[in-house]
Amino acid sequence: MVDATWYSGNAADDGQANRSWFLGHFIDPANGVRHSKDLEVKWASHPAGEKRAEWAPGDQRATVVLLIAGEFRVDLAETSITLARQGDYVVWPPGTGHSWQALSDTTVVAIRWPSVP
């Protein structure tokens, strides 16, 4: 459901067109409040063993990854962090490269800010 001032939906469904990102600058402004230049939000479910094989170069956004379920490893240049308990999270500043791997069937929420093309 959509209105000029609010939106109600499903993150997994709404993110299908944008690699699981359902809020950010890339959402058509006609979709109302989901279009944002302030932040981007992603709901991602990854099967065990799925990984980002290539290194994601650092961009100009800060990022937080929050574990909803499963076990998820985030690799940063300096360290690797394993998110294992529901609610575990990792935050990194703009300019930080990363990769990741789902160590079990995993669901995470990622938030990046600001939302820049």
Side-chain angles (χ1 to χ4, degrees):
M1 302 179 73
V2 68
D3 179 272
T5 59
W6 60 268
Y7 177 87
S8 176
N10 179 276
D13 292 345
D14 292 341
Q16 288 181 6
N18 294 296
R19 296 181 312 121
S20 300
W21 295 96
F22 65 93
L23 193 148
H25 76 275
F26 37 78
I27 302 298
D28 185 334
N31 287 318
V33 297
R34 291 193 317 125
H35 175 81
S36 173
K37 294 180 181 174
D38 297 321
L39 62 104
E40 302 169 0
V41 182
K42 178 180 195 173
W43 176 273
S45 294
H46 302 286
E50 184 177 15
K51 61 183 174 180
R52 180 177 188 130
E54 71 280 355
W55 193 256
D59 59 31
Q60 299 310 306
R61 296 170 286 212
T63 303
V64 59
V65 175
L66 171 66
L67 182 70
I68 303 301
E71 190 172 8
F72 193 75
R73 188 184 73 234
V74 175
D75 299 314
L76 304 174
E78 306 81 26
T79 192
S80 291
I81 298 100
T82 299
L83 309 177
R85 194 177 99 195
Q86 187 176 44
D88 285 353
Y89 65 94
V90 58
V91 180
W92 60 87
T96 304
H98 72 283
S99 65
W100 54 262
Q101 181 172 5
L103 302 176
S104 67
D105 290 347
T106 302
T107 301
V108 295
V109 170
I111 302 168
R112 300 190 298 203
W113 65 94
S115 182
V116 293

